């Protein structure tokens, strides 16, 4: 565990999945965590309750990031919860994937919604957060391995490619303030976003077969990598993208000829 005592963190999309695991981990390390979510009040409450049961501190903040007022709503709730404290750690995790959003089927509305939530929101959240983040703060963006392997969901992949570019450029801009900016790219992780993993008998075995460490990822696998970047241990790492995927698509596991 790292020591985040007296630190604060905002994790977007922390009501479920990877974001929840990140919120729980940062809170376990001692940070006061803002658990952001869109609509699922029950899931957000459950995340906050789990953090508190484990001895940590958290509060929920609701904001629909596709809405024009989304970032304003987020920062209003954040200000209430922080009560004048700075924001030490920002994790841009919330995102959506529209599975039918392929080159032949994507509508302009689907395209714009994915870019609004996955790219526009993190960008303007960072812009707003910069006045709250002290020198030496941390920004961590959650991208995806689909930036380097091809999938039919091309719009989602494009949004994550944009995040990778954002991280590298911003790291250079913010370095003089000692703020690090890094990107964590999960592989296939068992969350609601990937409900297809549980819809057929062969989904999990097929992912396992292409993963060196022989299993599907869990939220905590990603959260532990985020915790490294958030902690003092990560102070000399910036502008980097870390693939956290158990060795997804490293190549054939056995010689096929
Ligand atoms: N799962 C994977 O295999 C995988 C792989 C690579 C990258 N990733 C990335 O990892 C991150 C987390 O993914 P996940 O699988 O944990 O997702 P998830 O289980 O679908 O959870 C999504 C979270 O984002 C919030 N959210 C969704 N739409 C929103 C909106 N319009 N405005 C504000 N918040 C919204 C949800 O809030 P509500 O609960 O209120 O709906 C929820 O907290 C994403 O950036 C995703 O692209 C995931």
């Amino acid at each position: 565990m790292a020591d985040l005592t007296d630190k604060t963190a905002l994790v977007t999309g922390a009501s479920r999945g990877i974001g929840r695991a990140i919120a729980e981990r940062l809170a376990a390390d001692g940070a006061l965590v803002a658990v952001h979510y869109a609509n699922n009040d029950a899931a957000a409450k459950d995340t906050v309750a789990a953090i508190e049961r484990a001895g940590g501190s958290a509060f929920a903040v609701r904001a629909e990031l596709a809405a024009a007022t989304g970032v304003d709503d987020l920062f209003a709730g954040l200000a209430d919860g922080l009560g004048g404290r700075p924001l030490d750690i920002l994790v841009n995790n919330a995102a959506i994937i529209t599975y039918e959003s392929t080159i032949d089927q994507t509508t302009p509305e689907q395209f714009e919604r994915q870019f609004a939530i996955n790219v526009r929101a993190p960008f303007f959240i960072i812009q707003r957060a910069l006045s709250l983040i002290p020198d030496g703060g941390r920004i961590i963006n959650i991208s995806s391995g689909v930036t380097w392997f091809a999938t039919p969901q091309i719009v989602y992949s494009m949004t994550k490619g944009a995040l990778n570019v954002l991280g590298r450029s911003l790291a250079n801009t913010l370095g003089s303030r000692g703020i690090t900016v890094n990107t964590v790219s999960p592989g296939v992780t068992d969350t609601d976003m990937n409900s297809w993993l549980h819809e057929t008998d062969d989904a999990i075995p097929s992912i396992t077969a292409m993963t060196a460490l022989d299993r599907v990822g869990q939220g905590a696998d990603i959260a532990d990598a985020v915790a490294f970047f958030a902690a003092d241990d990560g102070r000399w790492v910036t502008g980097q993208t870390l693939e956290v995927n158990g060795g997804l698509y490293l190549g054939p596991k056995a010689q096929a000829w």
Side-chain angles (χ1 to χ4, degrees):
M1 299 303 247
D3 186 5
L4 298 181
T5 307
D6 296 330
K7 302 285 188 192
T8 64
L10 164 62
V11 183
T12 67
S15 48
R16 296 183 283 121
I18 292 169
R20 174 174 174 150
I22 295 168
E24 289 186 334
R25 171 65 204 259
L26 298 183
D29 288 353
L32 165 65
V33 179
V35 171
H36 160 265
Y37 69 107
N39 297 302
N40 197 330
D41 294 305
K45 274 188 195 146
D46 202 54
T47 304
V48 171
I51 287 171
E52 289 174 346
R53 271 197 309 276
S57 303
F59 59 93
V61 179
R62 182 176 187 173
E64 166 54 67
L65 293 178
T69 59
V71 174
D72 289 341
D73 296 341
L74 172 62
F75 278 84
L78 183 66
D80 284 349
L82 290 180
R85 293 176 63 177
L87 178 67
D88 298 291
I89 301 156
L90 167 61
V91 183
N92 277 306
N93 165 80
I96 60 161
I97 183 168
T98 304
Y99 278 102
E100 65 274 26
S101 207
T102 55
I103 187 66
D104 51 340
Q105 292 180 50
T106 304
T107 64
E109 292 74 22
Q110 288 170 339
F111 186 99
E112 277 158 26
R113 185 169 167 81
Q114 286 179 89
F115 266 85
I117 297 166
N118 298 7
V119 182
R120 187 186 73 192
F123 182 91
F124 286 102
I125 289 170
I126 291 168
Q127 188 187 67
R128 279 286 282 277
L130 279 175
S131 58
L132 294 176
I133 299 177
D135 291 0
R138 300 282 192 267
I139 298 172
I140 300 139
N141 297 318
I142 307 301
S143 181
S144 171
V146 297
T147 52
W148 58 267
F149 63 81
T151 76
Q153 282 74 36
I154 194 164
V155 180
Y156 173 76
S157 304
M158 289 166 67
T159 67
K160 293 303 186 177
L163 266 194
N164 288 9
V165 173
L166 167 67
R168 189 174 169 81
S169 299
L170 193 65
N172 220 18
T173 305
L174 298 181
S176 58
R177 288 187 52 196
I179 297 173
T180 67
V181 185
N182 289 290
T183 306
V184 168
S185 275
V188 183
T189 311
D190 192 356
T191 68
D192 295 343
M193 183 178 274
N194 282 339
S195 55
W196 55 268
L197 278 170
H198 303 285
E199 285 165 8
T200 61
D201 289 342
D202 59 354
I204 289 178
S206 73
I207 297 300
T208 299
M210 58 181 75
T211 304
L213 293 178
D214 261 344
R215 64 174 174 83
V216 169
Q218 300 298 322
D221 297 323
I222 314 305
D224 289 353
V226 171
F228 164 76
F229 289 118
D232 188 57
D233 285 349
R235 65 193 172 278
W236 196 235
V237 185
T238 195
Q240 302 304 306
T241 298
L242 182 65
E243 303 295 330
V244 184
N245 60 21
L248 183 64
Y249 287 128
L250 287 184
K253 290 187 180 177
Q255 192 166 323
W257 61 90

